[in-house]
Amino acid sequence: MKKSIKILAAILAAAALTGCSKKSTGKHTDVNKAASSLASSNVVTQTSNRINYQNYQKIKVVEKTGSTLQDVNRLLGRKADAISKSSNNGLKVKVYTWQGVAGGTAGSNLTVEFAKGVALVKQISGFKVSRQKDITLKDYQKLKKGQSQAAVKTLLGQPNGYSESDYDNKVTILWIYTSGLKGEGRPGLYVTFQNGKLLSKQQSDLE
């Protein structure tokens, strides 16, 4: 059981740190990639786009009883724009990506990872967030293990993306910050919660 939890945690971390590139230590094969979401017949108008945070929340990521692919397709109103496969220490995963989050930035997407027929990990990224001030390294240093999600949101503001898994009765949520960060290059900040409390944090290039 512990081994499986570690596998799932690795998948969740990789989803955020690679921007859904889905690199793993095992085999990885692209099955289908959309050349352009704008050229795809799946593309819908912004007013009818169902790729949004509200529907993201409705996707169940629970071992054995999580949402099926059919559930997610029905919820989002269309099939995925891209599908890939990966293998991590024997756990076979299929990754489905829906391009174009409603009101999101270019490249925004919603990704769901399925194993044994049900969703185990989900991620949505690319939300536009307007911040009153940049998030700094000092702000990052104020993050402490055990803080609530409300306390973190008060300090950092709204995330640009979310990732979530539910395994062995432990809900793990990742908040992804990619805009309004003080730093050179492409700074990033990632905060992980387990059962509602801050578990770990990571940052790159913050000043």
Side-chain angles (χ1 to χ4, degrees):
M1 183 65 72
K2 290 183 179 180
K3 182 177 180 181
S4 297
I5 294 172
K6 288 180 179 179
I7 293 171
L8 190 61
I11 294 172
L12 185 63
L17 297 180
T18 66
C20 300
S21 63
K22 307 307 171 193
K23 293 180 179 178
S24 70
T25 56
K27 296 180 180 179
H28 183 285
T29 306
D30 290 330
V31 176
N32 174 46
K33 292 184 178 180
S36 170
S37 61
L38 294 178
S40 171
S41 59
N42 279 335
V43 171
V44 292
T45 62
Q46 198 69 5
T47 55
S48 62
N49 190 354
R50 291 160 65 178
I51 315 298
N52 55 48
Y53 183 66
Q54 289 71 29
N55 283 335
Y56 164 83
Q57 290 182 300
K58 294 176 183 178
I59 299 171
K60 296 191 300 181
V61 283
V62 186
E63 184 190 9
K64 296 182 179 180
T65 61
S67 297
T68 65
L69 176 60
Q70 290 73 20
D71 293 334
V72 178
N73 283 338
R74 186 163 49 248
L75 177 66
L76 301 181
R78 60 185 175 92
K79 294 181 179 180
D81 297 294
I83 308 170
S84 62
K85 289 182 179 180
S86 66
S87 177
N88 194 323
N89 294 334
L91 181 65
K92 294 181 179 180
V93 177
K94 274 193 174 182
V95 184
Y96 291 77
T97 301
W98 289 260
Q99 303 288 351
V101 175
T105 61
S108 60
N109 60 62
L110 187 156
T111 299
V112 184
E113 301 184 8
F114 294 88
K116 298 182 180 179
V118 298
L120 291 183
V121 181
K122 62 180 179 180
Q123 177 169 302
I124 189 167
S125 61
F127 289 113
K128 294 179 181 178
V129 179
S130 177
R131 307 191 192 283
Q132 294 182 343
K133 67 181 187 67
D134 286 348
I135 299 172
T136 67
L137 182 59
K138 287 185 178 180
D139 293 324
Y140 172 81
Q141 292 170 339
K142 292 177 183 177
L143 296 170
K144 304 298 180 184
K145 188 174 181 178
Q147 286 177 325
S148 66
Q149 291 183 5
V152 173
K153 186 171 289 185
T154 297
L155 177 63
L156 302 180
Q158 199 77 17
N160 298 97
Y162 304 82
S163 188
E164 180 178 340
S165 69
D166 187 337
Y167 196 89
D168 197 26
N169 296 318
K170 293 181 180 179
V171 179
T172 302
I173 295 175
L174 181 70
W175 286 5
I176 307 162
Y177 292 83
T178 55
S179 72
L181 305 176
K182 185 179 180 181
E184 297 294 329
R186 299 181 63 182
L189 193 161
Y190 312 93
V191 186
T192 302
F193 301 91
Q194 193 166 83
N195 296 335
K197 299 296 182 181
L198 195 155
L199 177 67
S200 63
K201 61 182 182 179
Q202 186 173 351
Q203 64 86 18
S204 58
D205 300 325
L206 275 180
E207 296 178 352

